[in-house]
């Protein structure tokens, strides 16, 4: 875009109409509009006596979050003379360094001088209003609005409030896809006319980004019974093909119809993009704007003076701005079919910004990241499927019980095979990105293995009988202990043993009912866990100790028997 290469305005003057509304007068330097660095950021600094751009949505680059300056917004929109008027919000959005703020300043000229046929200004007057400059770095951040809300009489006699909104440019080097989507969605949700500022043509990626951003906005809006957004105006800057489609609205209409046409031989993806855009906006338009001229593009000292701008550009600009802002063309903001007042818009801004500050909405991603995630997830799914099929053949539903050590060995073999398959698949995203998904695969395989271990243990008849055996052992031990302590006169201990015996008996009967009926499975699981804890902590160590003592005694007896046999054998030899 040629005007994005122009230098920031050098002069301090801004245009205001004289009482007759037909001529410009330049204010003194102390009344000039401030630079962006001087923009007020608190309620105390918002001076409505000097119209200027006010930042209402602040962009925090460190955590890529956005904050609403409620005090500034309320001071502008809750003024007594406008707060109950229906509002018209005209917003300009698009990629950074494409001349959005430059265009808005011509809109300001029209609003201040709309009754004058020469509203566009004098040939030597610098362009002021929303801050803009030339160069390749972004200027606007977050969302700004003009501090003066214009009250306009419509042809039907009603008064409306007109608000102009400037937005942070998309796709700069400091903004994530989520940042771009949030700003575009917020401006689209709160505006009645969204000007989609594009350079030279409507490319397929422009439509895809529009689809992503509008869907991100639609997700945040609840109870959508109709098209969620109102007017979208495609503004094609630096249009170079007037011999195909003439400059202006009519040429833009024909061009847009061709671009958004859904054809039967189109790929489904292309059809879905176009259907989505038609389903989101009540009204679609397009305006073709010519190049402003080489002086604008190459002069580092360009400050917006009309004598540096080509006549074709000025001619079409005189048609474009009234098309958006003339009283008979104003589009009042509506949400869910109801017109919105200035007071209402404040509440909608508060509600929408809270949604985007939260975690309820999915984070939009770049096409590369989304494709790389899908690619890696598909590779993870394939590797998991390979592992599961191998394990099913070893210990599946109809396979007999397998020793835990053998199952562990098979698990390791199939796990390594699955990881090898995952690594062998060609994936996008780079080594570091893919490593996260390999770790995810290994964790999920270990979870699957734990389920196979439980399934295999269920086939072991001794494992299945562990709970009743444990409960029976507890009942038997308590019965013997109760009898002995009762015989010895230790009645309190005997009573406690009888209590434990009764609880074990009730647990045994309950467990048997659960296994028979399939009801109260949570109770059965709890009994199994208690029985397993008793087995692991008490009975198994006791049995291991008894087995160890028995084995030790058996070894001693064997050694003694061997030694005795040898002694007897030697004694017989001597006797002989």
């Amino acid at each position: 875009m040629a005007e994005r290469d122009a230098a920031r305005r050098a002069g301090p003057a801004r245009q205001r109409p004289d009482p007759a509304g037909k001529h410009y007068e330049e204010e003194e330097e102390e009344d000039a509009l401030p630079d962006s660095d001087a923009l007020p950021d608190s309620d105390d600094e918002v001076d409505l006596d000097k119209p200027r751009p006010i930042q209402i949505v602040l962009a925090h680059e460190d955590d890529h979050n956005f904050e609403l300056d409620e005090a500034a917004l309320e001071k502008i929109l809750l003024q007594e003379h406008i707060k109950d008027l229906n509002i018209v919000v005209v917003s300009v959005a698009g990629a950074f360094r494409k001349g959005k703020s430059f265009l808005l300043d011509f809109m300001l000229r029209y609003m201040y001088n709309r009754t004058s046929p020469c509203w566009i200004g004098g040939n030597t007057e610098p362009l002021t209003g929303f801050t803009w400059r030339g160069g390749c770095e972004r200027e606007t951040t977050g969302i700004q609005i003009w501090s003066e809300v214009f009250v306009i009489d419509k042809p039907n006699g009603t008064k409306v409030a007109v608000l102009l909104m400037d937005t942070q440019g998309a796709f700069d080097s400091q903004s994530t896809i989520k940042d771009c989507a949030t700003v575009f969605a917020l401006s689209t949700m709160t505006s009645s006319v969204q000007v989609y500022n594009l350079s030279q043509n409507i490319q397929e990626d422009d439509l895809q980004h529009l689809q992503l951003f509008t869907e991100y906005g639609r997700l945040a809006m609840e109870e959508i019974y109709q098209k969620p957004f109102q007017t979208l105006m495609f503004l094609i800057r630096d249009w170079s093909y007037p011999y195909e489609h003439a400059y202006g609205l009519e040429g833009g209409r024909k061009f847009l119809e061709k671009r958004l046409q859904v054809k039967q031989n189109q790929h489904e993806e292309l059809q879905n993009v176009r259907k989505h855009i038609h389903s989101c906006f009540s009204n679609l338009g397009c305006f073709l704007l010519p190049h402003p001229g080489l002086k604008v593009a190459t002069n580092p000292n360009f400050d917006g003076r009309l004598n540096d701008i080509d006549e074709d550009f000025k001619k079409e600009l005189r048609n474009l701005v009234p098309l958006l802002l003339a009283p008979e063309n104003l589009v009042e903001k509506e949400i869910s079919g109801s017109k919105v007042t200035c007071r209402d818009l404040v509440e909608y801004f508060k509600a929408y910004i809270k949604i985007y500050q939260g975690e309820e909405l999915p984070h939009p991603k770049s096409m590369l990241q989304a494709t790389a995630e899908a690619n890696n997830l598909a590779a993870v799914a394939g590797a998991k499927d390979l592992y599961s099929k191998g394990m099913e053949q070893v210990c599946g539903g109809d396979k007999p019980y397998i020793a835990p050590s053998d199952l562990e060995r098979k698990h390791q073999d199939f796990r390594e095979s699955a990881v090898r398959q995952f690594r062998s698949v060609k994936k996008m995203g780079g080594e570091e990105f893919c490593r996260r998904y390999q770790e995810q695969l290994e964790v999920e395989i270990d979870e699957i293995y734990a389920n196979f271990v439980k399934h295999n243990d269920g086939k072991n008849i001794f494992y299945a009988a562990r709970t009743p055996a444990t409960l029976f052992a507890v009942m038997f031990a308590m019965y013997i202990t109760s009898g002995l302590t009762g015989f010895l006169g230790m009645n309190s201990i005997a009573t406690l043993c009888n209590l434990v015996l009764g609880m074990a008996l009730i647990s045994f009967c309950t467990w048997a009912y659960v296994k028979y009926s399939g009801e109260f499975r949570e109770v059965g699981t709890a009994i199994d866990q208690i029985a397993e804890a008793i087995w692991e902590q008490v009975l198994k160590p006791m049995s291991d100790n008894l087995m160890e003592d028995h084995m030790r005694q058996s070894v001693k007896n064997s050694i003694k028997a061997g030694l005795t046999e040898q002694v007897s054998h030697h004694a017989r030899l001597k006797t002989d």
Side-chain angles (χ1 to χ4, degrees), residues 530-542:
I530 294 172
E532 184 172 0
I534 295 174
W535 170 262
E536 293 291 340
Q537 301 297 327
V538 180
L539 299 181
K540 186 177 180 181
M542 290 176 59

Side-chain angles (χ1 to χ4, degrees), residues 39-50:
L39 292 180
D41 56 4
S42 70
D43 182 42
D44 294 335
E45 297 176 352
V46 176
D47 184 1
L48 299 183
D49 293 333
K50 296 181 179 180

Side-chain angles (χ1 to χ4, degrees), residues 324-489:
L324 299 172
L325 296 174
E328 64 274 12
N329 296 327
L330 292 175
V331 179
E332 296 171 56
K333 178 62 183 171
E334 295 182 2
I335 294 179
S336 300
S338 300
K339 293 185 178 180
V340 176
T341 64
C342 294
R343 189 203 305 267
D344 297 334
L345 188 63
V346 173
E347 300 306 318
Y348 279 113
F349 255 112
K350 293 178 182 179
Y352 291 151
I353 200 71
K354 285 180 181 177
I355 293 174
Y356 288 114
Q357 286 173 340
E359 296 296 327
E360 294 86 358
L361 297 182
H363 287 199
K365 302 177 178 66
S366 68
M367 286 183 283
L368 172 62
Q369 186 178 5
T371 305
E373 285 186 3
N375 185 208
N376 279 270
L377 287 173
V380 168
K384 281 169 55 181
D385 185 60
L386 174 68
Y387 173 83
S388 297
K389 287 181 178 178
M391 293 294 287
E392 284 286 346
Q393 294 177 355
V394 172
C395 61
D398 57 347
K399 301 296 181 181
Y401 174 75
I402 182 174
S405 57
D406 294 338
L407 184 64
E408 171 73 17
R409 187 170 61 254
K410 291 291 185 181
H411 157 69
Q412 293 296 340
D413 293 342
F414 290 133
R415 188 176 189 268
E416 292 175 3
S417 298
V419 172
R420 278 198 303 270
Q421 174 170 316
F422 174 81
R423 290 177 176 172
S424 67
V425 176
K426 292 184 177 180
K427 300 177 291 297
M428 301 175 68
E431 183 66 26
E432 186 68 27
F433 186 83
C434 296
R435 187 177 296 114
R436 298 203 304 266
Y437 286 89
Q438 180 178 329
E439 293 171 356
Q440 175 184 333
L441 170 65
E442 293 171 349
V443 169
E444 292 180 1
I445 284 178
D446 289 340
E447 292 174 354
I448 296 173
Y449 172 64
N451 291 330
F452 275 115
V453 169
K454 293 179 181 178
H455 182 66
N456 186 61
D457 288 341
K459 298 176 183 179
N460 186 346
I461 186 172
F462 296 102
Y463 182 86
R466 178 179 295 177
T467 296
T470 301
L471 295 175
F472 181 78
V474 170
M475 289 188 288
F476 180 77
M478 292 299 102
Y479 177 76
I480 298 298
T481 305
S482 174
L484 290 174
T485 54
F487 178 76
L488 297 174

